[in-house]
Amino acid sequence: MPTQFDPPSGTRDFLAREYETRERAFAHIRSVFARYGFEPLATPAFERLDVLMGKYGEEGDKLIFKILRRGEHEETGEADLALRYDMTVPLARVAANYGSQLPSPYKRYAIGPVWRADRPGRGRFREFTQCDLDTLGSTSPLADAEVMSAVHDVLSGLGIGEFRFLLNSRRVLAGLLEVFGVPDTLGPGVLASLDKLDKLAPGDVISELAGRGLEEAKAGELVSAMTAGDAVERIRDALKSSEEGSAGLDEVDAIGSLLANELPAGRAGFTPRLVRGLGYYTGAIWEVVVAGVPGSLVGGGRYDHLIETLGGPDVPATGGSLGIERILALLANADRHTRLDVAVTIMDERYATRGFSFAAAARHAGLRSSIYLGSSAKLGRQLKWASDQGARWAVIYGAAEDEAGTVTVRDMTSGEQSAVPAADLAGHFARVRAETPLPGSAG
């Protein structure tokens, strides 16, 4: 049962360990995207309601968090603003608003919270982070391959295990509907059912297709072709008679050729059964999957007319969206929590001023450092504090060190201790900082 101290349903508090894991991941993502020439875009957490409404369909519009009018208009009960639902509509607004001020092509990424008035179930939230990267203004398969390559580098750098890109094209799917004789009126529904092939048994998908009005024999042939062990060859052969389908295969092959020399062998491949049910895709589509992990971690594709339908200019576009919450869940226990590099003990209040200076010397050397702020003068308790903070070294300064003019530096990993001249402590830390890799340290 929730208590008065729990965060609102569908939201979370992030304590230090989880927050810092997330921030390290975000920093890595930004670094990779920047290396590919994508620039950041930050938009307000809320948009005008009229900008958002009508962009997500009837069901999506119901999930928009509306903000009531304020001040003298508050009593009307009307809303004029809403929390952003995704990062795509704000992108369209920016493209329409700034026009020629933006570079062409315009390559941007966005990382930030979005809000949906959903009923939160297990693993689902009403406030969560989205991470998108998009290129507007290019029809070249280079743009699609570049987005996928950037995603690959992000996942590899985060240490995600064996992942794979599933690659297809909406033009391939259109060609399949054509060669299997699916009426145009049934096309969208048929694709929506085929999109469930990774969740339902083939027989269940066939039954659903028949329920949509497709002849059961045709439904069986289509599902069989898409799920066969030699599906790639069968689909390629079937599409020889379709101009649209052949053009889709050319898209897939062009992107695959560009990625072949950049990604490990087998990392990306043509996957006929990949559908991605969003109707705005116009060309190449792709997802990233990990063995043993249900669903996809990243998805994307080409959406050449979506920006115009959202109110922006009619420009070709391609991009992807990282399922950042799912990715972060795989990293939850990846790092040992470290708060400090150097923990400075205070064995007696007489040495507090010296201890304060020792901590400052470590920070000046680019290390994270703090003095002990508790009330116990027992060394054992203070060393436990140092360990709990993940400190690599503890600085000990008591009567013996004060008399000798030294500082005892304890390696918290090995337990070894060394005497360092107090006057050279800053230099000592500068040397160890240069010699020792310390995740999270400044520098």
Side-chain angles (χ1 to χ4, degrees):
M1 290 291 292
T3 73
Q4 61 177 322
F5 302 115
D6 289 329
S9 175
T11 66
R12 295 161 291 173
D13 297 316
F14 296 114
L15 300 184
R17 179 170 187 164
E18 187 172 3
Y19 180 81
E20 289 173 348
T21 296
R22 294 171 68 89
E23 288 301 301
R24 282 194 294 272
F26 295 154
H28 168 68
I29 292 169
R30 294 186 186 100
S31 174
V32 171
F33 289 171
R35 289 204 303 270
Y36 278 82
F38 289 87
E39 60 185 59
L41 173 65
T43 60
F46 51 86
E47 297 277 354
R48 296 194 313 277
L49 182 59
D50 63 292
V51 168
L52 299 181
M53 292 297 292
K55 306 302 191 299
Y56 306 105
E58 183 178 348
E59 291 303 312
D61 285 351
K62 292 178 181 178
L63 300 182
I64 293 175
F65 265 114
K66 300 175 182 177
I67 301 174
L68 297 181
R69 290 181 180 272
R70 298 142 306 283
E72 60 181 312
H73 303 292
E74 184 176 0
E75 295 182 358
T76 65
E78 298 176 349
D80 61 339
L81 301 173
L83 295 175
R84 65 186 176 206
Y85 181 92
D86 69 359
M87 294 297 189
T88 305
V89 169
L91 171 61
R93 179 183 58 74
V94 167
N97 188 42
Y98 294 95
S100 61
Q101 298 181 46
L102 299 176
S104 182
Y106 177 45
K107 299 167 54 174
R108 85 88 172 90
Y109 70 87
I111 304 175
V114 298
W115 295 265
R116 297 181 184 176
D118 204 351
R119 178 178 295 177
R122 181 177 178 84
R124 297 181 64 87
F125 305 98
R126 294 192 289 180
E127 178 187 62
F128 57 95
T129 298
Q130 273 200 339
C131 176
D132 291 7
L133 75 163
D134 299 87
T135 298
L136 308 186
S138 174
T139 60
S140 171
L142 288 164
D144 304 273
E146 189 176 57
V147 168
M148 295 175 67
S149 184
V151 168
H152 174 271
D153 290 358
V154 163
L155 297 179
S156 295
L158 289 175
I160 300 299
E162 290 299 317
F163 61 91
R164 188 166 181 267
F165 285 86
L166 311 182
L167 177 61
N168 201 359
S169 169
R170 292 291 285 203
R171 302 183 73 179
V172 165
L173 296 170
L176 279 176
L177 298 182
E178 175 190 340
V179 299
F180 280 90
V182 177
D184 292 343
T185 54
L186 297 182
V190 167
L191 291 179
S193 294
L194 293 176
D195 194 33
K196 300 177 183 178
L197 279 172
D198 62 340
K199 306 179 185 71
L200 301 178
D204 294 332
V205 175
I206 292 172
S207 297
E208 185 172 313
L209 289 171
R212 290 183 181 274
L214 186 64
E215 295 177 17
E216 188 164 349
K218 286 185 178 179
E221 292 176 9
L222 181 56
V223 170
S224 176
M226 296 185 73
T227 58
D230 60 346
V232 170
E233 291 75 17
R234 291 177 63 173
I235 295 302
R236 285 187 178 277
D237 187 62
L239 291 178
K240 289 178 180 178
S241 62
S242 169
E243 183 178 345
E244 181 72 1
S246 295
L249 286 176
D250 289 342
E251 288 180 333
V252 169
D253 291 343
I255 296 171
S257 176
L258 290 167
L259 295 174
N261 294 327
E262 305 304 323
L263 274 57
R267 182 58 58 87
F270 174 41
T271 310
R273 65 191 290 170
L274 175 66
V275 175
R276 288 196 65 76
L278 297 174
Y280 54 67
Y281 287 116
T282 59
I285 54 175
W286 51 272
E287 288 183 350
V288 176
V289 296
V290 176
V293 178
S296 61
L297 293 187
V298 191
R302 179 160 289 277
Y303 53 97
D304 283 343
H305 305 293
L306 178 63
I307 298 297
E308 181 186 29
T309 66
L310 296 177
D314 185 15
V315 295
T318 187
S321 182
L322 284 74
I324 197 67
E325 303 297 347
R326 303 194 71 201
I327 292 171
L328 289 168
L330 298 178
L331 307 178
N333 298 312
D335 298 309
R336 177 172 179 257
H337 181 55
T338 60
R339 172 68 54 200
L340 298 176
D341 299 315
V342 178
V344 180
T345 65
I346 301 294
M347 305 308 300
D348 190 294
E349 284 300 318
R350 292 176 297 168
Y351 309 126
T353 299
R354 297 301 305 274
F356 197 74
S357 298
F358 296 153
R363 288 193 293 271
H364 290 159
L367 298 172
R368 299 168 299 170
S369 180
S370 179
I371 59 172
Y372 178 70
L373 299 175
S375 58
S376 176
K378 294 181 178 179
L379 179 60
R381 182 163 296 184
Q382 296 195 38
L383 290 178
K384 181 181 184 305
W385 159 75
S387 178
D388 291 344
Q389 296 294 305
R392 176 63 188 276
W393 297 281
V395 169
I396 303 169
Y397 189 81
E401 287 81 8
D402 184 54
E403 183 177 346
T406 61
V407 174
T408 298
V409 177
R410 179 185 178 91
D411 187 317
M412 295 297 293
T413 302
S414 66
E416 296 180 357
Q417 298 187 163
S418 58
V420 176
D424 186 45
L425 187 60
H428 172 79
F429 282 138
R431 291 189 291 274
V432 298
R433 174 67 182 90
E435 297 168 358
T436 310
L438 292 168
S441 296

